[in-house]
Amino acid sequence: MSRLEAKKPSLCKSEPLTSERVRATLCVLKGILTSSYGPSGRLKQVHSGFGGCVCTTSQSSALLSNLPVTHPILKILTTSMQNHVSCFRDCGLFTAILCCNLIENVQRTGLTPTTVTKLNQHLLSLCTSYLKSESCGCRILVDFSSPQTLLCLVRSIVTSKPACMLTREERDHLSALILRAFLLTIPENTKDRLILGNSIIVPLKGQRVLDSSVLPGILIEMSEIQLMKILPIKKSEAFKVALFCASLSGDFSDTGEGTMVVTYGVSLENAVLEQLLSLGRQLVSDHVDLVVCQKVIHPSLKQFLSMHRVIAIDRVGVALMEPLSKVTATICSLLLCNRNDTAWDELKLTCQTALHVLQLTIKEPCVLLGGGCTETHLAAYIRHKTCNEPESILKDDGCTQTELQLSTEAFCSALESVAGSLEHDGGEVLTDMKYGHFWSAHAEAPSIVNWPDLLSRCGCGLYNSQEELHWSFLKSTRHPFVPQTYLPHEATGSADNLTLDCFTAKLSGLQVAVETANLILDLSYVIEDKN
């Protein structure tokens, strides 16, 4: 077939990051993500011009999947972030904002992409080594004999999602429920390998959040009339369940292009019904108590089972089939309530994130200090390390001391800017010169101020301002200092309301942000097929 239109040549652009349009679009994306970050992040309403539902959110998973990104560079960034979120469910905004900050800061240095990517990898290696080390001053080991650390972790996740529209009482109630639901998925007796069960989220919209609850087992919806027929159930021995994925409606499957040969005088409907009733008699003979079918059960078979006191439930859907097939594993149902559909959808995402983060924490039992404190502490550590031990980096790469200083400042400023993004009301952002933690003050702070009187606690809640501390504005120039390492156990044990982050998700987010920024900074050409 001949072409109606001549094929257009591919569009080739060199040095894409030098384009003002690309920089402006990247700046807009960063603004959207930054303004959504943290407990006081601003909500976004995302909707399509073609109609459909409106999404009100501040979560990265919803934002990144709904933003109409067209430029190849931005597609690399958003796709990379979406891949991270699909694996870890948390720290998506942290990852995206850090990546944008790195790209922006490095462009100001004037360093070549080869030099920058090499030094960024070294700085990333310093970060990961420190965060995994015993001397790390922003990492806490999880004590599973006490639920306090896990509860703080869940509460931090729930608090960081303002679109859920929860009061403090509702946040505390929901955090405890999520933790309880997770603990119910841990089997009591394990031998060599721990296999966690499932938490099924059951929607109860239009009700109070405080009415949410957790029940062990699987909750299956059925009519009140059906329920009254089978109650009360008095059975002391095992409750037998028969589970069917195939339809029990008696309908014939499509034969396609083939033909079906039927003996004269035979009624297909009666033959199939007889087979179904034969199945019913077998179920009764085997003393089955409950028959569950993913699809439809024939009314006659339902009536037969009901006459013999067998509960029959059909149309349960595909979503419940997998947990039902594993019902002898540890499964629970989280009855999740909220006032309206929009808030419930956001709350469901939040609960899924929290449950997944708890699973990650079981595998790697440690957490990081949240509220911006890990970022500022890490920035202080990297600055001190590169200032006092530059030879460990420079000896292999052939970079100069100046190039290392410029790259380090771009890297550390990017980390600090992520922490600063938590402040949305024009307040002052600071860091202390002892622990390297993040602090914020109200916007109405006087020009001459006694900081201990104005500040209360650091971002993670671990330290208070009454200690003998000295502060510096986050974006001001200051001499590198070594932040206190080896976080004392007494400090974490005494604090019962810490803001915490998932160690595994944040570490991965840090790596993804740096590697994606390196990839984008190293791009020399973008070739687009315009056909």
Side-chain angles (χ1 to χ4, degrees):
M1 182 177 177
S2 61
R3 297 182 64 89
L4 298 177
E5 186 181 346
K7 187 176 181 181
K8 298 175 183 177
S10 297
L11 189 63
C12 181
K13 295 180 181 178
S14 63
E15 304 299 334
L17 282 179
T18 59
S19 165
E20 283 299 321
R21 176 174 162 267
V22 174
R23 290 189 179 190
T25 310
L26 195 62
C27 186
V28 170
L29 177 63
K30 177 189 167 184
I32 292 172
L33 300 174
T34 302
S35 62
S36 307
Y37 192 48
S40 58
R42 304 321 192 217
L43 303 185
K44 305 294 180 291
Q45 279 199 332
V46 187
H47 59 92
S48 169
F50 299 104
C53 61
V54 177
C55 173
T56 304
T57 187
S58 65
Q59 296 198 46
S60 58
S61 56
L63 284 173
L64 293 171
S65 60
N66 285 291
L67 283 176
V69 175
T70 56
H71 196 279
I73 286 183
L74 296 184
K75 279 185 177 179
I76 291 173
L77 194 153
T78 54
T79 302
S80 182
M81 302 307 120
Q82 284 177 288
N83 288 339
H84 164 80
V85 172
S86 67
C87 291
F88 298 95
R89 296 282 184 93
D90 197 25
C91 297
L93 287 177
F94 161 80
T95 307
I97 295 168
L98 178 58
C99 183
C100 291
N101 287 343
L102 276 171
I103 294 169
E104 197 175 85
N105 290 356
V106 165
Q107 284 183 293
R108 296 195 193 106
T109 64
L111 298 175
T112 63
T114 305
T115 302
V116 166
T117 53
K118 221 186 300 185
L119 289 173
N120 275 351
Q121 280 301 127
H122 277 294
L123 296 174
L124 174 62
S125 180
L126 281 178
C127 289
T128 54
S129 298
Y130 176 65
L131 290 175
K132 291 179 178 179
S133 70
E134 295 295 324
S135 63
C136 180
C138 53
R139 188 184 68 155
I140 300 174
L141 294 176
V142 176
D143 179 10
F144 289 105
S145 64
S146 169
Q148 193 56 46
T149 304
L150 293 176
L151 188 59
C152 286
L153 177 60
V154 175
R155 190 188 296 121
S156 302
I157 294 170
V158 173
T159 303
S160 69
K161 315 299 181 190
C164 294
M165 295 182 282
L166 302 176
T167 64
R168 185 188 183 98
E169 183 184 10
E170 289 170 341
R171 284 198 303 267
D172 291 344
H173 175 71
L174 197 63
S175 301
L177 278 186
I178 292 170
L179 180 56
R180 186 179 168 219
F182 172 71
L183 293 176
L184 284 172
T185 65
I186 301 175
E188 293 182 8
N189 301 313
T190 56
K191 295 179 180 178
D192 301 327
R193 189 178 169 207
L194 177 65
I195 300 176
L196 297 175
N198 291 338
S199 294
I200 302 168
I201 298 177
V202 180
L204 291 175
K205 300 177 184 178
Q207 298 191 40
R208 300 186 316 151
V209 175
L210 295 176
D211 293 331
S212 301
S213 60
V214 175
L215 297 174
I218 300 177
L219 204 63
I220 302 174
E221 187 176 354
M222 62 189 304
S223 68
E224 189 175 346
I225 296 173
Q226 208 174 4
L227 187 64
M228 294 306 295
K229 285 181 179 179
I230 63 173
L231 290 177
I233 299 173
K234 295 179 180 179
K235 191 173 176 67
S236 56
E237 64 270 18
F239 196 78
K240 290 188 177 181
V241 179
L243 185 64
F244 292 89
C245 297
S247 173
L248 297 179
S249 66
D251 292 337
F252 296 106
S253 58
D254 187 8
T255 59
E257 296 181 359
T259 57
M260 182 182 290
V261 179
V262 181
T263 306
Y264 179 75
V266 173
S267 168
L268 287 178
E269 289 78 9
N270 290 340
V272 170
L273 180 57
E274 181 55 37
Q275 287 292 319
L276 290 175
L277 293 176
S278 176
L279 172 65
R281 286 190 286 271
Q282 185 63 49
L283 293 170
V284 172
S285 174
D286 291 338
H287 305 290
V288 170
D289 300 290
L290 172 65
V291 175
V292 180
C293 182
Q294 177 183 332
K295 299 178 182 177
V296 178
I297 300 177
H298 194 286
S300 297
L301 177 57
K302 262 188 178 180
Q303 185 181 11
F304 176 83
L305 293 172
S306 178
M307 287 170 54
H308 291 82
R309 304 288 293 173
V310 178
I311 307 166
I313 302 173
D314 59 355
R315 294 185 176 93
V316 297
V318 69
L320 280 178
M321 291 309 290
E322 183 185 357
L324 277 169
S325 64
K326 300 176 181 176
V327 77
T328 54
T330 47
I331 294 174
C332 71
S333 297
L334 172 57
L335 279 68
L336 191 60
C337 307
N338 213 336
R339 290 168 283 273
N340 56 63
D341 287 358
T342 302
W344 188 89
D345 291 340
E346 190 78 356
L347 195 56
K348 179 187 176 184
L349 276 177
T350 302
C351 291
Q352 289 172 337
T353 298
L355 289 167
H356 189 73
V357 161
L358 288 170
Q359 291 178 351
L360 294 175
T361 307
I362 284 279
K363 295 175 184 176
E364 202 154 6
C366 50
V367 291
L368 291 174
L369 298 176
C373 290
T374 288
E375 289 87 334
T376 51
H377 177 90
L378 201 54
Y381 172 80
I382 295 298
R383 277 199 183 97
H384 178 265
K385 192 80 172 173
T386 54
C387 181
N388 288 271
E389 304 173 24
E391 63 281 350
S392 62
I393 298 176
L394 298 175
K395 65 180 180 180
D396 298 325
D397 284 337
C399 300
T400 66
Q401 181 84 30
T402 304
E403 289 172 334
L404 176 60
Q405 287 177 347
L406 287 171
S407 191
T408 299
E409 189 54 37
F411 190 94
C412 294
S413 295
L415 280 170
E416 290 174 337
S417 292
V418 177
S421 300
L422 290 166
E423 175 56 57
H424 296 280
D425 300 311
E428 299 289 357
V429 288
L430 308 97
T431 183
D432 68 83
M433 309 299 285
K434 181 179 179 181
Y435 304 111
H437 278 220
F438 175 78
W439 304 73
S440 63
H442 296 299
E444 299 81 19
S447 55
I448 301 175
V449 67
N450 183 28
W451 288 117
D453 295 336
L454 194 62
L455 303 171
S456 55
R457 301 193 78 86
C458 65
C460 70
L462 188 58
Y463 300 113
N464 64 58
S465 60
Q466 300 309 310
E467 299 184 39
E468 294 183 2
L469 300 175
H470 299 284
W471 288 270
S472 171
F473 289 108
L474 200 59
K475 295 183 179 179
S476 64
T477 304
R478 54 188 175 276
H479 187 73
F481 68 97
V482 55
Q484 179 174 301
T485 55
Y486 291 101
L487 193 64
H489 177 72
E490 301 77 33
T492 58
S494 61
D496 59 353
N497 199 20
L498 293 177
T499 299
L500 302 173
D501 285 330
C502 174
F503 176 82
T504 308
K506 196 144 205 176
L507 188 62
S508 171
L510 179 64
Q511 293 168 330
V512 170
V514 175
E515 289 166 3
T516 305
N518 282 349
L519 174 63
I520 292 173
L521 288 164
D522 204 27
L523 283 175
S524 297
Y525 290 92
V526 171
I527 303 171
E528 289 185 81
D529 185 359
K530 289 295 184 179
N531 294 287

